[in-house]
Amino acid sequence: MGAVIIGSGKALPQLEIANDELKAVVDTNDEWIRTRTGISTRHISVGESAQELAYAASCAAMGLTGDLFPQTTSTGWCAQPIDPESIDLVLYATVSPDVVVPSCAALLKRHLNLPNAVAMDLNAACTGFIYGLTTAEAMLAASNASNGGAVRNPIKRALVVGVDRLSRLTDWDDRNTCVLFGDGAGAAVLEWDAERPGLLATYLRNDDDVKNSLTCAHAIEAPQPFTESGISAEAKADPDASLAAADEMLGIGDIVAEGGIRQVIRMDGRTIFKFASNAMADAVGEVLSRAGLALDDIDCIVPHQANERIIRFAAKKLGIPEERFQLSIADTGNTSSASVPMALADAYASGRIKPGDKVIAVAFGGGLTSGAVLFEA
Ligand code: UT7
């Protein structure tokens, strides 16, 4: 028995920006971006909200026609159309929520018309979808186990979504980061199955990012009527002192004080590159050993699509051919929480993942998070 993936979908915004078009905002070129990252083009949502992308990806994963937001293109695979009433849990991984209350997951539950689901958001940066799958599996297993503990919500099916509009968090004057990112959404449906094994092993990890090598501050905007000595209506005009404390935590106090934008992604690319290549290989090794399997047993690895060179480096470290990895980065760029579920949808929709195949999904990101999930399709 186990949590089996029964649907997988993705959605991309309509606007597509090719590498050379980025010359309009920064000093870059197609050759540099392609050879250093494997990216040729990315999709940017201008009219579409992240919610619309998440809705379209979820409809594709559930085999629904979903015409609430018709302008978004989506593709996917599902074993058979999934009844919205049968979804008991929605987990929505993102670093770029459209709204804070209600949760984006609660909005998605409403738009998809899932009357029986409970819903919540989670943020584990680019590893969000792996954290989501792991959490959903644990809740499905706990709910369907008969080994005591608390009396829990009955959960038979879970919808796990990864969606981001990194374009909203990107400094479009910084060529070191802006050429890397794109927008999109991916989704998967997990079902508890009494016969099939589904997820065989999960592994999550969090290394402290003591050097602030990958950060994005949050610009909370509601004016505060408080000073250190109490409440005063006039204080609403003052800058929020707690923001300065948060800026210091991320090491961007001076930048913001000098007029730099607060809420953009800042990254030490080389440090993250090194962390990523090692973290991916380590996470793959960990899930294999937890499942008691060897690399030769694995048909396909679906990695976080941050940089093709990172994937190549990890393949070399693991001693396996690059062809074993699903590569989807060329026309998406790095889409953070959406990256793994979109690549998964590509692998399912193209027939690369077949029933009975053993697959590893693996990711890394800010936090510094990393993790992997090994499953039988
Ligand atoms: O989702 C998780 C987070 N992100 C990642 O996983 C990203 C991890 N890091 C990377 O993928 C790579 O480090 C980058 C793609 C960000 C950078 O590649 P790199 O090979 O490490 O390049 P670099 O930073 O060492 O820069 C090499 C040169 C520099 O010029 P100089 O100093 O050698 O003259 C840069 O200024 O390339 C220059 N450069 C560019 N040139 C043209 C940097 N960005 C660009 C650009 N276009 N967009």
Side-chain angles (χ1 to χ4, degrees):
M1 68 179 76
V4 178
I5 294 179
I6 57 168
S8 169
K10 77 166 194 181
L12 288 166
Q14 288 199 337
L15 180 67
E16 204 174 336
I17 301 289
N19 288 344
D20 267 339
E21 294 183 76
L22 292 172
K23 287 178 180 170
V25 289
V26 287
D27 177 14
T28 191
N29 58 77
D30 175 59
E31 218 237 316
W32 191 97
I33 303 172
R34 259 187 312 102
T35 52
R36 300 273 179 150
T37 70
I39 300 166
S40 296
T41 178
R42 73 282 296 134
H43 292 252
I44 304 288
S45 66
V46 182
E48 308 101 327
S49 61
Q51 181 69 204
E52 290 171 50
L53 298 171
Y55 171 86
S58 303
C59 287
M62 293 172 68
L64 306 177
T65 41
D67 52 8
L68 198 55
F69 304 114
Q71 67 273 38
T72 305
T73 51
S74 61
T75 50
W77 160 87
C78 73
Q80 57 189 43
I82 293 163
D83 178 2
E85 292 201 8
S86 70
I87 302 286
D88 306 304
L89 172 70
V90 179
L91 296 180
Y92 185 114
T94 191
V95 300
S96 52
D98 291 322
V99 296
V100 181
V101 178
S103 69
C104 300
L107 271 182
L108 184 62
K109 166 190 153 27
R110 187 174 100 198
H111 288 137
L112 286 168
N113 202 8
L114 312 176
N116 301 312
V118 292
M120 62 179 167
D121 292 358
L122 70 90
N123 175 350
C126 305
T127 321
F129 183 72
I130 301 292
Y131 273 61
L133 281 183
T134 302
T135 307
E137 189 279 336
M139 290 179 76
L140 283 158
S143 156
N144 290 282
S146 53
N147 58 354
V151 179
R152 307 177 177 97
N153 276 23
I155 298 176
K156 186 91 173 44
R157 280 182 177 163
L159 172 67
V160 183
V161 180
V163 51
D164 267 312
R165 289 178 69 205
L166 287 189
S167 62
R168 286 178 63 210
L169 304 176
T170 296
D171 179 350
W172 290 103
D173 292 328
D174 178 8
R175 71 172 183 172
N176 292 296
T177 54
C178 78
V179 302
L180 305 173
F181 302 135
D183 302 337
V189 180
L190 282 181
E191 175 181 69
W192 189 255
D193 192 309
E195 313 292 331
R196 296 163 64 201
L199 268 63
L200 295 167
T202 63
Y203 168 75
L204 300 181
R205 185 180 166 106
N206 216 136
D207 293 290
D208 296 336
D209 185 10
V210 287
K211 290 189 176 157
N212 289 319
S213 41
L214 181 50
T215 65
C216 182
H218 183 38
I220 303 163
E221 287 179 58
Q224 301 289 295
F226 303 105
T227 65
E228 277 167 9
S229 51
I231 186 162
S232 109
E234 291 73 45
K236 286 205 275 186
D238 298 340
D240 179 352
S242 67
L243 280 182
D247 293 344
E248 284 310 320
M249 271 191 288
L250 297 187
I252 59 166
D254 291 346
I255 297 172
V256 174
E258 283 161 21
I261 313 174
R262 174 176 279 120
Q263 194 169 2
V264 288
I265 296 169
R266 294 185 164 84
M267 181 174 70
D268 173 353
R270 287 184 195 181
T271 301
I272 295 297
F273 192 103
K274 205 166 147 206
F275 158 73
S277 323
N278 292 321
M280 273 219 306
D282 291 349
V284 166
E286 287 289 344
V287 275
L288 280 170
S289 101
R290 286 182 181 185
L293 294 172
L295 265 175
D296 281 348
D297 299 318
I298 303 302
D299 299 286
C300 175
I301 299 180
V302 181
H304 172 38
Q305 312 282 317
N307 185 331
E308 212 172 277
R309 276 164 58 222
I310 293 176
I311 296 168
R312 250 183 259 140
F313 193 99
K316 198 165 161 200
K317 199 164 179 225
L318 289 164
I320 53 171
E322 289 160 44
E323 293 69 44
R324 201 87 66 85
F325 287 78
Q326 170 68 32
L327 286 181
S328 297
I329 192 171
D331 73 338
T332 61
N334 178 350
T335 55
S336 191
S337 314
S339 151
V340 173
M342 290 209 298
L344 193 64
D346 286 344
Y348 269 110
S350 68
R352 178 172 187 163
I353 297 180
K354 297 176 287 306
D357 277 0
K358 302 246 178 3
V359 180
I360 294 176
V362 57
F364 58 87
L368 297 165
T369 54
S370 56
V373 166
L374 195 165
F375 64 92
E376 186 176 303

